[in-house]
Amino acid sequence: MNGYNFAYLDEQTKRMIRRALLKAVAIPGHQVPFGSREMPLPYGWGTGGIQVTASVIGAADVLKVIDQGADDTTNAVSIRRFFETTTGVRTTTRTAAATIIQTRHRIPEAPLVEGQIVVFQVPIPEPLRWLEPRESETRTMHALEEYGVMHVRLYEDIVRHGRVATGYDYPVLVNGRYLMRPSPIPKFDNPKLDHCPALLLFGAGREKRIYAVPPYTPVRSLDFEDHPFTIERWSQVCALCGSAESFLDEIIVDDKGGRMFVCSDTDYCLARRR
Amino acid sequence: MNTEAIPLLRVRGLSHSYGAQVGCLDVGFDLWPGEVLGVVGESGSGKTTLLGCLSGRLTPRAGSVWFTTRAGRAVDIPRLGEAGRRRLLRTDWGIVHQNPRDGLRMRVTAGANVSERLMAMGERHYGRLRDTALTWLTSVEIDGDRLDDLPDTFSGGMQQRLQIARNLVTRPRLVLMDEPTSGLDVSVQARLLDLLRGLVGDLGLAAIVVTRDLAVTRLLAHRLLVMRRGEVVESGLTDQVLDDPQHPYTQLLVSSVLPP
């Protein structure tokens, strides 16, 4: 594309972001500040993820972009088109064929493999944010591993709902050290983070933070001994492909109360029906 | 009192100032395990500054605060570093604020407030946490039914008792109290003092109670420091200081209280 550098960002900016990424990989789960740039996309639509992807993508990469598990929703389509225009790289909807997967709110159902990079779009990187409003204090709490207050939140959940009611963005402890927000993925996807063979990168554009989980890093979801972490289960199977293992979305199909449950991961669902 | 000759807290030459304004000047005392020390003086006499320096919230200009840990090691609080200080504050120390809102999390239930320190120390069993919280609520005379209520729905006296339970749950050895009763009306004060006296006796706590109220120190404190303009002008056994004050300022302070 004329007048623009490969992948939109200039090389100095990419270098700056790559430095932040290297630091993030070296300290799994630790939030690294970076100089987030204005992107041709509103905040909240993936400006952090798009900058991380732009910094790691090369001409030989194959890109997949998903939004809530789907390849064909507005956010996914526009970000995929953005990189098609600014880099000319090949894109795909198949998880297995992709080298870089930028995602919002899901991790693909198909197992990730070594050499793949997953880029997460993060709205709020700080797991302690709603518990402690001061940024200086949350940083100290991370530095000193003072995470008791997170369990106070889980405790409150059990008091009010009889179980931990947090369904997405469920807090995890990375490598036994840093408390991390896995971005708003359903807790169904949390077990996929643990010892994942792929490199997981997280970018928060508005909050100007980058963090990472290197391949094969232990990632533990917080819980109580007598209220262990569990994932969602459905009484139905996918109405299209019949899968009983995947994360299901409930879809309203008419105005008479009709509904169906289908896989949220469109690529996984299509592959099973083929 | 402990037979070993190691005080829990040994304060020497503690001074702090705000610019030219003296906060406290050359304060020194020993506090022994199980002892309650009262610090009295009018407002502006440096009581709160002293407490701030002791707890590590303020870094004193000069002086040392040696605290003997459970392991028997003496650490100098101002030079301990933030990590060690915060660990002490969560485990071996308790701080009871004048305003319970400063010491409580108002948006989480009473049970969570009491359990927070335990969770910070690594307790991860929900059932056990609730049992412990319930026991502590009962021992500060709060009805067990209120375990899942927000502190906002509590009266001022109950909030103050909840704050005390929250601090005592890790069985600290030293509790710092800043005017623990001053926000409460007289009958509630009396009950709280009774409770505190009982807890201090049962648990063998050492405590430093900062107050303007001489009656509180009479009931609670074994020994007394009288402060004026940042300096300790008189110290000694509580009854001795209150019944036979030597320093003119103490005499003034004692005589300004209406006889009961």
Side-chain angles (χ1 to χ4, degrees):
Chain A
M1 195 174 158
N2 275 340
Y4 284 96
N5 191 31
F6 179 80
Y8 186 78
L9 291 175
D10 61 273
E11 292 303 314
Q12 288 302 316
T13 301
K14 289 187 196 170
R15 258 177 72 155
M16 175 270 293
I17 294 176
R18 285 174 198 148
R19 276 200 204 108
L21 285 170
L22 285 174
K23 186 170 177 183
V25 168
I27 317 171
H30 173 62
Q31 299 166 51
V32 182
F34 79 109
S36 178
R37 299 291 190 253
E38 287 280 336
M39 297 302 284
L41 193 76
Y43 285 131
W45 286 65
T47 52
I50 214 173
Q51 288 180 78
V52 170
T53 302
S55 306
V56 297
I57 200 166
D61 274 312
V62 182
L63 180 70
K64 170 182 165 77
V65 184
I66 49 176
D67 170 14
Q68 307 269 13
D71 293 277
D72 53 2
T73 51
T74 314
N75 199 230
V77 170
S78 58
I79 292 175
R80 187 165 56 236
R81 197 174 293 152
F82 173 83
F83 281 112
E84 280 168 356
T85 316
T86 56
T87 65
V89 300
R90 283 189 296 136
T91 59
T92 181
T93 59
R94 286 178 47 234
T95 302
T99 56
I100 299 177
I101 303 167
Q102 181 170 335
T103 174
R104 169 175 183 266
H105 293 200
R106 274 314 305 280
I107 296 175
E109 305 288 358
L112 300 167
V113 295
E114 276 183 31
Q116 284 183 317
I117 298 176
V118 184
V119 178
F120 294 80
Q121 301 169 195
V122 181
I124 296 159
E126 178 53 69
L128 302 164
R129 177 55 65 239
W130 307 124
L131 308 163
E132 171 54 58
R134 289 166 296 174
E135 177 71 18
S136 58
E137 181 65 16
T138 55
R139 283 195 210 185
T140 311
M141 289 161 87
H142 280 294
L144 302 179
E145 253 184 294
E146 278 182 15
Y147 295 144
V149 65
M150 202 68 201
H151 271 90
V152 171
R153 203 188 105 187
L154 302 184
Y155 174 99
E156 283 292 290
D157 258 15
I158 301 176
V159 168
R160 286 177 199 186
H161 309 287
R163 64 193 164 85
V164 177
T166 308
Y168 65 95
D169 220 346
Y170 192 102
V172 293
L173 197 68
V174 179
N175 205 21
R177 175 60 182 83
Y178 279 98
L179 190 64
M180 186 186 92
R181 271 192 127 121
S183 87
I185 57 171
K187 66 177 177 177
F188 180 88
D189 286 342
N190 271 22
K192 297 178 190 164
L193 297 166
D194 188 31
H195 289 94
C196 177
L199 171 63
L200 312 176
L201 303 176
F202 298 78
R206 176 175 41 206
E207 304 277 330
K208 301 179 172 57
R209 293 288 184 278
I210 280 172
Y211 49 100
V213 176
Y216 301 111
T217 304
V219 176
R220 198 170 55 75
S221 304
L222 299 190
D223 59 2
F224 285 105
E225 288 161 25
D226 47 346
H227 284 265
F229 175 79
T230 52
I231 58 173
E232 302 93 327
R233 293 272 172 231
W234 289 263
S235 48
Q236 280 96 333
V237 295
C238 172
L240 301 176
C241 76
S243 170
E245 280 90 50
S246 80
F247 186 84
L248 300 182
D249 282 339
E250 184 179 3
I251 297 178
I252 311 274
V253 288
D254 54 33
D255 57 1
K256 298 180 190 68
R259 59 195 58 199
M260 64 193 282
F261 284 86
V262 297
C263 292
S264 111
D265 187 335
T266 50
D267 168 58
Y268 171 84
C269 198
L270 277 172
R272 280 175 54 89
R273 279 184 278 157
R274 249 180 230 125
Chain B
M1 228 168 261
N2 204 331
T3 47
E4 293 168 50
I6 313 167
L8 189 62
L9 200 65
R10 168 165 281 175
V11 180
R12 290 291 179 270
L14 198 66
S15 300
H16 191 67
S17 55
Y18 305 96
Q21 196 72 33
V22 173
C24 62
L25 192 64
D26 200 22
V27 176
F29 62 87
D30 286 342
L31 182 74
W32 298 83
E35 187 182 31
V36 179
L37 179 73
V39 181
V40 293
E42 60 194 6
S43 57
S45 59
K47 304 183 301 266
T48 304
T49 304
L50 175 63
L51 212 57
C53 289
L54 294 180
S55 66
R57 189 171 51 79
L58 297 171
T59 309
R61 291 284 161 86
S64 55
V65 180
W66 290 97
F67 176 73
T68 311
T69 60
R70 271 175 220 258
R73 204 165 55 88
V75 291
D76 189 10
I77 301 299
R79 279 160 206 84
L80 184 57
E82 199 177 3
R85 212 154 47 218
R86 286 170 74 127
R87 191 173 316 117
L88 267 187
L89 280 176
R90 286 203 305 271
T91 56
D92 252 7
W93 293 36
I95 293 190
V96 177
H97 296 266
Q98 177 175 2
N99 185 347
R101 286 173 177 273
D102 295 339
L104 291 174
R105 279 183 197 280
M106 299 307 283
R107 287 180 180 187
V108 302
T109 58
N113 265 291
V114 177
S115 306
E116 180 174 348
R117 276 172 160 236
L118 293 173
M119 292 190 242
M121 287 172 75
E123 173 64 84
R124 294 286 179 264
H125 193 284
Y126 179 77
R128 277 204 299 271
L129 284 168
R130 282 181 79 75
D131 291 345
T132 317
L134 201 59
T135 312
W136 274 102
L137 282 193
T138 317
S139 56
V140 296
E141 298 169 11
I142 295 176
D143 201 2
D145 295 351
R146 308 299 301 270
L147 185 64
D148 295 338
D149 289 349
L150 294 180
D152 253 337
T153 64
F154 286 15
S155 70
M158 281 167 78
Q159 287 181 2
Q160 197 58 289
R161 292 197 302 263
L162 180 63
Q163 194 192 178
I164 289 165
R166 171 181 160 92
N167 273 289
L168 295 187
V169 68
T170 51
R171 301 196 169 262
R173 294 187 304 145
L174 174 63
V175 180
L176 307 176
M177 300 189 217
D178 190 3
E179 309 260 8
T181 58
S182 68
L184 308 171
D185 56 42
V186 182
S187 61
V188 179
Q189 275 191 21
R191 272 184 62 198
L192 186 71
L193 285 173
D194 258 2
L195 176 74
L196 276 176
R197 206 151 56 150
L199 288 172
V200 165
D202 291 349
L203 303 173
L205 290 173
I208 297 180
V209 184
V210 163
T211 180
R212 285 167 307 189
D213 190 342
L214 292 183
V216 170
T217 57
R218 174 85 82 176
L219 278 170
L220 215 53
H222 303 126
R223 276 195 310 132
L224 215 53
L225 296 182
V226 184
M227 290 189 73
R228 187 195 187 202
R229 291 186 189 154
E231 287 183 85
V232 176
V233 294
E234 188 164 352
S235 65
L237 296 175
T238 305
D239 290 344
Q240 187 188 341
V241 173
L242 292 181
D243 294 341
D244 183 20
Q246 300 297 309
H247 192 274
Y249 175 72
T250 319
Q251 291 169 356
L252 183 74
L253 204 64
V254 171
S255 64
S256 64
V257 178
L258 294 174

